[in-house]
């Protein structure tokens, strides 16, 4: 059996050093972009166009798109939506195309795309098992690209990578673990039973609480409410194909 690697990259700036040819890159931003993207497709979004800058996002206003934009954990004042999963309701986004820019998550997608990643999908706790099954079926190496916070480490994104690895091992998949994935898995297994309590004081959850989003962490840790896997196509748009 061909040996494949499971690795976790802690932030977009480091992705070029973690890039593997022909790997599945799972972009993760638990708090909150990845979770919001899955929620958008759960509620009928047609597509999501991730853009890197607020200027680019703002240029789509008045052209029939829903524009979701966030910086520093707050909705941009001119945007239709911000970056909280609770905002992406069927009434607001059902059947529509969303232009999306965030402080961290959309930057991670662009970093993977610019480096030439073979396949880019978006992971969240809400689609954890679906992503694990997809990775297992692919037979490829897996690189979890944590979005972090402005290219610094975020524990919730890294522990999602460990949760995905734990699920893959539960499904019978075998990977060669790197130092980062092995360390994260050991930490996750120590705290998975009480993961909410462990992550409550993490930097970004405290940032969100200060900005008026006290329930985001609980919402973003709900597991397996979705089978949708946002997948980036060659044109740079996210669709679901499952």
């Amino acid at each position: 059996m061909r040996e494949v690697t499971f690795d976790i990259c802690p932030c977009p700036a480091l992705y070029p050093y973690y890039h593997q040819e022909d790997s599945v890159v799972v972009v993760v931003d638990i708090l909150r972009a990845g979770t919001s993207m899955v929620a958008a497709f759960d509620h009928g979004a047609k597509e999501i166009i991730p853009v890197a800058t607020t200027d680019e996002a703002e240029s789509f206003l008045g052209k029939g798109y829903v524009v979701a934009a966030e910086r520093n954990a707050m909705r941009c004042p001119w945007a239709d939506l911000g970056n909280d999963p609770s905002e992406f309701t069927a009434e607001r986004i059902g059947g529509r195309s969303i232009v999306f820019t965030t402080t961290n998550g959309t930057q991670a997608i662009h970093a993977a795309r610019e480096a030439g990643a073979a396949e880019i999908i978006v992971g969240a706790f809400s689609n954890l098992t679906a992503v694990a099954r997809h990775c297992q079926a692919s037979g490829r190496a897996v690189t979890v690209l944590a979005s972090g916070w402005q290219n610094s480490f975020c524990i919730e994104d890294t522990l999602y990578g460990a949760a995905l690895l734990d699920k893959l091992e539960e499904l019978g998949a075998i990977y060669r673990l790197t130092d980062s994935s092995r360390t994260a898995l050991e930490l996750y297994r120590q705290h998975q039973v009480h993961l909410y309590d462990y992550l409550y004081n993490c930097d970004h959850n405290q940032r969100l609480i200060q900005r008026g989003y006290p329930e985001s962490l609980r919402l973003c840790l709900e597991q397996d409410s979705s089978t949708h896997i946002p997948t980036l196509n060659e044109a740079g748009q996210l669709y679901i194909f499952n």
Side-chain angles (χ1 to χ4, degrees):
M1 180 180 294
R2 182 172 64 92
E3 183 180 63
V4 292
T5 301
F6 188 103
D7 206 356
I8 301 175
C9 174
C11 69
L14 292 177
Y15 178 73
Y17 301 101
Y18 286 76
H19 177 69
Q20 301 181 72
E21 295 295 333
D22 197 38
S23 68
V24 179
V25 178
V26 183
V27 173
V28 54
D29 184 351
I30 295 302
L31 295 173
R32 296 163 291 173
T35 310
S36 293
M37 290 173 185
V38 175
F41 284 118
D42 287 344
H43 292 102
K46 179 182 177 183
E47 63 181 354
I48 297 174
I49 304 169
V51 300
T53 68
T54 54
D55 286 345
E56 188 176 0
E58 193 170 6
S59 73
F60 283 87
L61 288 172
K63 297 179 180 179
Y65 296 89
V66 176
V67 178
E70 167 267 320
R71 284 296 183 272
N72 298 316
M74 296 294 293
R75 186 180 78 176
C76 295
W78 42 264
D80 300 312
L81 300 174
N83 179 27
D84 196 76
S86 64
E87 298 179 76
F88 292 81
T89 62
E91 293 77 16
R92 288 173 168 172
I93 55 89
R96 301 185 68 185
S97 297
I98 301 171
V99 173
F100 202 11
T101 187
T102 69
T103 306
N104 305 294
T106 55
Q107 315 306 316
I109 291 171
H110 278 270
R113 187 180 185 211
E114 289 169 5
E119 181 181 10
I120 301 170
I121 63 176
V122 176
F125 280 102
S126 55
N127 68 354
L128 178 67
T129 297
V131 169
R133 287 176 175 155
H134 176 85
C135 291
Q136 182 184 33
S138 77
R140 293 174 169 179
V142 176
T143 304
V144 174
L145 173 50
S147 296
W149 171 257
Q150 297 181 352
N151 280 313
S152 62
F153 175 84
C154 277
I155 194 168
E156 68 276 6
D157 291 346
T158 294
L159 289 189
Y160 167 84
L164 178 60
L165 176 57
D166 186 69
K167 179 63 68 174
L168 280 161
E169 292 191 351
E170 179 185 313
L171 293 172
I174 299 173
Y175 293 90
R176 182 181 68 80
L177 305 188
T178 63
D179 287 354
S180 60
S181 57
R182 187 185 304 277
T183 301
L185 183 62
E186 290 173 358
L187 185 62
Y188 173 73
R189 287 176 172 168
Q190 290 176 33
H191 298 286
Q192 67 183 109
V193 175
H194 303 291
L195 193 59
Y196 174 84
D197 293 335
Y198 182 65
L199 291 177
Y200 183 82
N201 287 317
C202 73
D203 290 345
H204 198 44
N205 187 49
Q206 293 304 304
R207 194 177 289 118
L208 290 173
I209 290 171
Q210 292 169 9
R211 287 160 172 74
Y213 296 98
E215 295 303 316
S216 289
L217 178 63
R218 192 176 302 279
L219 179 61
C220 292
L221 291 182
E222 291 180 2
Q223 287 195 23
D224 291 334
S225 60
S226 178
T227 59
H228 292 138
I229 302 174
T231 304
L232 198 73
N233 66 13
E234 292 182 358
Q237 301 158 328
L238 289 164
Y239 286 92
I240 52 171
F241 300 102
N242 57 322

